[in-house]
Amino acid sequence: MALSQRLDLRQSQSLVMTPQLQQAIKLLQLSNLELSDFVEQELEQNPLLERDESDPEPMIAADAPNGVEASSVIEDKPTTALDGEQSFGGDDADVWQASAGTEGEGAVDYAGDADAWKTPSTRTGDDDMPGLEETLRQDITLREHLVGQLNCDLEEPAERMIGLFLIDLVDDAGYLTADLAEVAETLGADLAEVEAVLARLQRFDPIGIFARNLAECLAIQLKEQGRFDPCMEKLIANLPLLANREIGALMRICGADGEDLAQMVGEIKALNPKPGLAFDGVPAQPVVPDILMRVQQGGGWVIELNNDTLPRVLVNTRYYSKITRGPAGKLDRDYLSEKLQSANWLVKSLHQRATTILKVATEIVRQQEAFFAYGVSHLRPLILRDIAEAIGMHESTVSRVTTNKYMTTPRGLFELKYFFTSSIPAANGAASHSAESVKFRIKTLIDAEGAEGILSDDRIVEILHEDGVDIARRTVAKYREAMRIPSSVLRRRDKSLGM
């Protein structure tokens, strides 16, 4: 066969993710706070982008009253130009309304109530007022607390040196993590001298500090209370038996009856097993909701994006026109054209992200309306496909929207992922049950147990079958263990000890 060269024309189709599409996908899965950081970077890099400082109107979706089918209408307004600037949000914010069959029903005037959702850290007011972070009390660290006591209690330089060395070996929980023999060898001191200093350090506040294990920590606290008698000493020495609820063995070892043993266990439960955690506390970072939900007057729900954390930007087309009309070179014009395209795409992506999140959140509220009305026992099974089919989007889009997004509701703050649960079939052929609602039912049954009515997993299965839930015993055990609820045997022993 002869070899030859020739040219062929072929047509083919392929999916290519442009940088702009990749950016839109990236923005979709960011939370509002993460999005703000991203926009800040874009503002620094793009001279055509400006921050929109005007007061935004809320972007609202009004859901229908309970038990009424609703139809959503999206007023998709294009980005407007004001004095040569393009704005995302502002006076042209999108409003979603759901009607309930009568004209005007479902609409809501939220303008006068906009501040109700603002937290103290974001509410506008006097610029001289300190921020939330500035009002936090500056607590001293555990090391500073211990060093202060060391300087007052130990006078000898050698003892202070040993004490400071031991303080540096204390972990966050307040336990001493080193072997005393190694400490003595490192410092060139006698072991007896190190032990004597440790004994004095163990009297420091908080009580239980410098213990080398849990038993010693509890013993130090009991000695301080004058409750470390021989019976209690034997109980502390057999903590593994207590953890396994070996009641009979503990009664024999301690020489106590059931009532006395229960009283001692109660005293141990009142102690602090990690005294050092009272210090070095890092202020908890509150979860900022991306979506706000409230009850609508007259029935139904109102869903709104949290404008306090939603970044808003402008495209300064006036500046672009001024520069391009001047004596700018080709490189400058190409640079500005690229930045203008990037800025316009960012504004479009932010708008698309906002409308998509609001659409997904609104559909979740519709699907889980019984949960918001009656509680977790009415949480229905829901998967990403259910939402995707209802709003005409792909499952991957719904997955990105619900990642790391939180919604504040009349029943608390929830991550959007919380509302997606697997289903458990019904025993009588009725609608299936949500796994979360079944877990809640199991916990409710166990919490209601009496001392003489401990429910085994088999008995819980029978009760759930009577309630129309078709569930296996191993599933009950899996859910119970996931909620960190001990078995019926251990719960019965706990009840006998008053735990």
Side-chain angles (χ1 to χ4, degrees):
M1 180 177 65
L3 298 178
S4 62
Q5 295 179 341
R6 65 179 184 180
L7 295 175
D8 291 331
L9 295 178
R10 296 181 181 179
Q11 289 185 342
S12 63
Q13 293 182 340
S14 61
L15 293 176
V16 179
M17 292 188 64
T18 63
Q20 292 84 357
L21 180 57
Q22 294 177 6
Q23 181 190 70
I25 293 175
K26 177 182 178 181
L27 296 184
L28 197 60
Q29 60 191 9
L30 297 179
S31 67
N32 281 4
L33 296 182
E34 293 171 336
L35 182 65
S36 297
D37 293 337
F38 176 82
V39 170
E40 286 295 329
Q41 296 177 7
E42 292 296 315
L43 287 169
E44 294 177 359
Q45 299 172 4
N46 195 330
L48 299 181
L49 277 177
E50 294 181 359
R51 184 179 290 103
D52 186 2
E53 302 291 352
S54 62
D55 294 331
E57 290 186 0
M59 192 171 183
I60 301 174
D63 201 7
N66 298 339
V68 180
E69 290 295 331
S71 60
S72 297
V73 178
I74 308 174
E75 298 178 358
D76 192 7
K77 302 179 181 179
T79 303
T80 60
L82 299 174
D83 296 331
E85 296 181 339
Q86 295 179 347
S87 172
F88 164 65
D91 295 336
D92 293 302
D94 293 321
V95 177
W96 290 21
Q97 293 184 346
S99 61
T102 59
E103 185 177 356
E105 187 174 358
V108 59
D109 181 10
Y110 192 72
D113 195 33
D115 286 340
W117 285 104
K118 292 184 178 180
T119 62
S121 60
T122 57
R123 188 184 300 274
T124 58
D126 190 351
D127 293 338
D128 294 333
M129 294 295 290
L132 176 62
E133 294 79 5
E134 298 175 13
T135 63
L136 296 175
R137 181 169 59 91
Q138 297 296 322
D139 294 331
I140 64 173
T141 64
L142 176 61
R143 186 182 188 281
E144 291 170 344
H145 183 66
L146 296 176
V147 169
Q149 298 177 78
L150 175 72
N151 294 332
C152 296
D153 192 75
L154 300 181
E155 298 179 355
E156 295 294 330
E159 292 179 344
R160 286 192 178 186
M161 183 186 67
I162 296 174
L164 287 172
F165 192 87
L166 294 177
I167 287 176
D168 290 333
L169 298 176
V170 172
D171 63 14
D172 293 339
Y175 287 85
L176 186 63
T177 58
D179 181 78
L180 293 187
E182 295 179 356
V183 172
E185 182 179 356
T186 301
L187 297 178
D190 294 335
L191 177 60
E193 187 177 5
V194 175
E195 292 176 341
V197 172
L198 176 61
R200 298 179 66 176
L201 296 179
Q202 288 179 342
R203 296 198 297 266
F204 283 8
D205 177 77
I207 302 301
I209 202 75
F210 288 103
R212 286 159 287 185
N213 52 58
L214 176 60
E216 186 175 28
C217 179
L218 300 178
I220 293 172
Q221 297 177 61
L222 289 168
K223 290 176 182 178
E224 180 68 18
Q225 299 174 6
R227 284 293 297 120
F228 197 65
D229 54 34
C231 187
M232 183 68 79
E233 183 178 2
K234 294 177 182 178
L235 179 59
I236 294 298
N238 291 275
L239 290 179
L241 294 179
L242 180 59
N244 294 327
R245 280 79 166 179
E246 299 291 342
I247 310 302
L250 289 174
M251 291 172 60
R252 290 193 301 271
I253 293 173
C254 299
D257 56 22
E259 182 178 354
D260 291 338
L261 185 61
Q263 181 180 355
M264 290 190 294
V265 171
E267 294 180 23
I268 291 177
K269 288 176 59 179
L271 302 177
N272 185 358
K274 297 180 179 181
L277 295 185
F279 297 82
D280 297 337
V282 178
Q285 296 297 325
V287 175
V288 179
D290 304 272
I291 306 150
L292 309 175
M293 172 189 172
R294 67 180 177 90
V295 178
Q296 179 178 334
Q297 186 176 4
W301 317 97
V302 176
I303 302 97
E304 176 192 3
L305 292 180
N306 187 357
N307 284 326
D308 288 339
T309 58
L310 194 64
R312 302 169 64 249
V313 293
L314 301 171
V315 181
N316 195 338
T317 55
R318 180 190 301 172
Y319 177 70
Y320 172 78
S321 300
K322 179 180 179 180
I323 296 299
T324 53
R325 284 197 301 262
K330 183 178 183 302
L331 292 178
D332 294 335
R333 293 175 184 272
D334 292 343
Y335 171 79
L336 288 176
S337 297
E338 178 186 350
K339 291 302 180 182
L340 179 63
Q341 181 182 7
S342 175
N344 285 329
W345 186 266
L346 177 61
V347 170
K348 181 180 179 181
S349 298
L350 290 174
H351 179 270
Q352 182 179 5
R353 173 187 180 274
T355 55
T356 303
I357 291 176
L358 196 57
K359 183 183 292 187
V360 171
T362 303
E363 186 59 33
I364 289 176
V365 172
R366 286 198 182 105
Q367 298 271 4
Q368 298 290 6
E369 187 175 4
F371 163 78
F372 297 108
Y374 306 109
V376 69
S377 59
H378 290 78
L379 191 67
R380 57 166 292 191
L382 188 66
I383 57 177
L384 296 174
R385 189 185 309 116
D386 297 332
I387 300 296
E389 292 177 352
I391 62 178
M393 292 184 177
H394 196 272
E395 287 183 49
S396 62
T397 302
V398 177
S399 177
R400 291 186 178 96
V401 168
T402 55
T403 298
N404 200 24
K405 307 290 191 310
Y406 290 84
M407 179 167 62
T408 182
T409 75
R411 293 197 173 273
L413 183 66
F414 297 93
E415 187 179 9
L416 293 184
K417 289 289 188 184
Y418 171 81
F419 300 104
F420 296 91
T421 63
S422 57
S423 62
I424 295 179
N428 52 9
S432 57
H433 303 270
S434 164
E436 286 296 329
S437 64
V438 173
K439 288 181 183 179
F440 177 78
R441 176 64 173 150
I442 293 173
K443 186 176 186 304
T444 302
L445 290 173
I446 294 176
D447 290 343
E449 289 176 339
E452 303 298 329
I454 303 299
L455 300 175
S456 64
D457 290 347
D458 290 326
R459 178 54 185 156
I460 293 177
V461 169
E462 295 175 0
I463 295 175
L464 293 177
H465 271 283
E466 294 172 0
D467 292 342
V469 181
D470 186 10
I471 189 171
R473 180 187 178 280
R474 63 179 179 275
T475 305
V476 171
K478 181 180 69 174
Y479 288 170
R480 176 178 51 75
E481 292 170 357
M483 293 183 288
R484 297 187 177 183
I485 298 176
S487 65
S488 58
V489 175
L490 295 181
R491 297 202 306 274
R492 186 174 291 106
R493 293 175 179 176
D494 289 343
K495 294 287 185 181
S496 65
L497 286 174
M499 298 177 64

